[in-house]
Amino acid sequence: MQSDWAAAPAFAFVQRDVSASKGVTTRKTHHVFTISGSDYYMPIATNDEFLPGDQQERELRRLQEEVDRRSHETPKEAQRRSEQYCKAREQNGVLLLEFTKAFDFTLAGEDMTNGHPTYVLDAKPRPGYQPPNRTARILTGMHGRLWIEKESFHWVKGEAEVLKPVSIFGFFAKVLPGTRMDLEMIPVTEDVWLVSRFAVDMNLSTFWRKSTKTMESTFSDYRPAAAALAEALSARTKTR
């Protein structure tokens, strides 16, 4: 998992995010590029409808402008941007990277999962585990299950569910039982597997008021970052 996570910035991809809260569902799709060491999200669709041609051209122009801007940054500006990106990425990845530290695993059987032969592992909270930050604290109240590809030992799928309330902001905010997280991964090269789906059904209590929120992100069309960026910029040149 650590090597796959480290390899991810070398790939561009399409990310579709669906979120639902208070009866309102939003769907946004972006093409995500790596430019000079940090990511850039270019909108390509809203509510599963591609942007009109003039908006597509506008987003491609903004992409070119961002490439130009980053190429003219001072070393200090580039370092600050890179540090912000790495900090945000570390926060996003903490649940993945802490999973093996937070749980003890037992073999539950074998399965065929998403076309791959897998070992099935049950995960229970490890006594004495100390989460490194507030985000990872949710792992202390969860049980889970992993599906591990037999030959390569890559994750194919992971599920986790909160079984006891977990405080994330003292008494003011808690993650409640019923909260679920689901993760699926796919091979994008012979050696690298990356996330294809990540979903969270969240039950929260904030200032003693309960709420629910669901989020699902799917990731597709993984390609080497430099080639994908060059192709997008070439597409803009052809439309001018």
Side-chain angles (χ1 to χ4, degrees):
M1 176 58 74
Q2 290 177 345
S3 62
D4 288 338
W5 184 252
F11 294 87
F13 53 90
V14 173
Q15 177 174 336
R16 177 179 179 268
D17 299 310
V18 181
S19 62
S21 180
K22 298 179 180 179
V24 178
T25 300
T26 59
R27 299 176 180 85
K28 296 183 179 180
T29 306
H30 295 81
H31 202 155
V32 185
F33 300 97
T34 300
I35 304 173
S36 300
S38 65
D39 55 7
Y40 179 83
Y41 284 69
M42 185 181 77
I44 59 176
T46 300
N47 291 325
D48 294 332
E49 293 188 4
F50 285 109
L51 300 180
D54 59 336
Q55 292 187 31
Q56 292 182 32
E57 170 60 24
R58 189 180 308 125
E59 294 300 338
L60 287 170
R61 183 171 66 251
R62 289 174 177 169
L63 174 65
Q64 179 67 69
E65 291 170 351
E66 185 64 16
V67 170
D68 295 340
R69 186 189 69 78
R70 294 187 186 187
S71 68
H72 290 89
E73 287 178 323
T74 66
K76 187 174 183 179
E77 290 172 337
Q79 180 181 2
R80 185 185 304 116
R81 173 174 55 79
S82 178
E83 289 175 349
Q84 291 173 345
Y85 166 71
C86 290
K87 182 178 180 180
R89 190 166 186 272
E90 181 179 343
Q91 292 174 342
N92 291 336
V94 67
L95 295 179
L96 298 179
L97 300 179
E98 286 292 310
F99 204 87
T100 55
K101 301 176 185 178
F103 295 93
D104 288 326
F105 299 92
T106 56
L107 183 63
E110 300 180 8
D111 197 5
M112 182 65 70
T113 310
N114 296 344
H116 301 279
T118 57
Y119 295 112
V120 184
L121 304 178
D122 281 338
K124 295 184 179 181
R126 177 172 297 170
Y129 168 70
Q130 297 296 322
N133 58 29
R134 185 182 298 116
T135 301
R137 199 176 297 167
I138 190 176
L139 297 174
T140 62
M142 295 186 122
H143 287 219
R145 174 165 280 196
L146 287 180
W147 287 258
I148 306 296
E149 206 274 331
K150 283 186 174 182
E151 187 172 340
S152 67
F153 297 112
H154 284 279
W155 290 26
V156 178
K157 183 179 177 181
E159 295 178 351
E161 182 175 0
V162 172
L163 297 181
K164 66 177 184 179
V166 179
S167 297
I168 53 177
F169 285 101
F171 293 104
F172 303 110
K174 293 182 178 180
V175 178
L176 302 178
T179 294
R180 286 183 54 85
M181 292 190 297
D182 297 288
L183 170 75
E184 296 179 23
M185 302 187 72
I186 56 173
V188 298
T189 71
E190 184 176 345
D191 300 316
V192 177
W193 289 52
L194 297 178
V195 178
S196 62
R197 177 178 176 269
F198 182 67
V200 179
D201 292 326
M202 190 78 73
N203 293 331
L204 298 171
S205 174
T206 308
F207 293 101
W208 301 278
R209 179 178 299 176
K210 294 183 179 180
S211 62
T212 61
K213 185 175 182 179
T214 64
M215 297 172 287
E216 180 184 56
S217 295
T218 54
F219 307 83
S220 61
D221 195 23
Y222 280 103
R223 301 178 56 204
L229 178 60
E231 182 176 311
L233 297 178
S234 175
R236 176 177 181 257
T237 301
K238 292 177 181 179
T239 61
R240 295 172 64 181

